[in-house]
Amino acid sequence: MEDGTAERIRPRDRILETARDMFHKHGIKGVGVDAITEAAGTNKMTLYRHFESKDDLVIECLRATACSANAMWQKFEAEHPGDKLAQLHAWVRMAADCLMMDGRGCDMANAAIELSETDHPARRVIKELKQAQRDRLVGLCRDAGIGQAELLADTLSLLLEGARVSLQSVGAEGPSAQFVRMAEGLITSFRAR
């Protein structure tokens, strides 16, 4: 943002974008508001004018992540109108692309691990957003004609979460390299039932 872009982006959006990036790279607890405001080219007073607390900023970052995920779902629908099975295969390819392009994992899952206090305000938001993603995948599996749609959706979700952990722990040559093959095999198996 050193090229003058920072001045053109509204302060709230600049803070949000900077915080999302820093939380993703360094973790929520690894980044303070001083570092966020400095990187965003603003000050704490401006941050607190837009966000009541760091927790509020975390929640807004998670909601922005969910909006990005929703845009991917819309892309599947636009690229494969009316073909739910093709949309499901597109979900697998997108998940694999996200998996390999960024070894940091899912922002929602990382936040859930980091914010272990059960009463943390972001925990409710994480649960709601993860549930909405699950419901969407279940619906897609059901609409694609999968008889055990919930089981397939949960299996694919757990496979993806496991692949993310495997990628972080043993690298790209480990089991995560087989994600697409495994996911496609699951879809084929569930369709055959």
Side-chain angles (χ1 to χ4, degrees):
M1 285 192 229
E2 295 172 5
D3 60 2
T5 308
E7 290 80 40
R8 292 190 298 258
I9 300 172
R10 291 181 13 221
R12 182 185 194 285
D13 296 335
R14 197 169 62 240
I15 292 166
L16 190 59
E17 180 181 317
T18 300
R20 280 184 72 191
D21 181 60
M22 293 180 81
F23 291 156
H24 183 76
K25 289 178 181 172
H26 308 290
I28 293 167
K29 292 186 176 182
V31 178
V33 293
D34 288 329
I36 293 167
T37 56
E38 182 178 335
T42 189
N43 57 50
K44 284 169 54 171
M45 187 168 66
T46 302
L47 184 144
Y48 288 120
R49 186 178 314 127
H50 295 284
F51 305 96
E52 290 181 21
S53 64
K54 181 180 176 185
D55 289 344
D56 187 41
L57 177 58
V58 167
I59 289 168
E60 289 304 312
C61 286
L62 293 171
R63 287 189 175 131
T65 297
C67 286
S68 296
N70 286 336
M72 285 188 272
W73 287 98
Q74 292 168 354
K75 182 179 177 190
F76 304 153
E77 292 166 1
E79 290 177 353
H80 309 283
D83 189 345
K84 299 302 182 178
L85 187 58
Q87 291 175 27
L88 183 57
H89 291 292
W91 179 90
V92 169
R93 288 188 304 279
M94 175 279 309
D97 290 346
C98 289
L99 182 66
M100 292 305 163
M101 88 168 89
D102 179 11
R104 290 288 303 146
C106 170
D107 289 340
M108 299 282 178
N110 290 345
I113 292 165
E114 240 188 296
L115 306 173
S116 58
E117 307 87 3
T118 55
D119 61 341
H120 192 285
R123 299 281 302 177
R124 179 183 51 78
V125 173
I126 294 165
K127 182 178 180 180
E128 289 171 3
L129 296 174
K130 279 290 205 180
Q131 185 65 47
Q133 290 298 311
R134 178 193 182 268
D135 293 346
R136 201 152 189 183
L137 186 56
V138 168
L140 182 56
C141 290
R142 186 175 293 116
D143 293 345
I146 307 296
Q148 294 180 304
E150 286 190 27
L151 183 59
L152 177 57
D154 289 345
T155 304
L156 289 171
S157 294
L158 290 174
L159 179 63
L160 177 58
E161 295 293 343
R164 286 176 172 143
V165 172
S166 174
L167 182 64
Q168 289 181 9
S169 59
V170 297
E173 294 78 33
S176 63
Q178 301 298 320
F179 172 78
V180 171
R181 199 166 126 216
M182 287 186 263
E184 294 292 350
L186 283 167
I187 294 168
T188 300
S189 173
F190 272 80
R191 287 189 71 217
R193 293 181 183 185

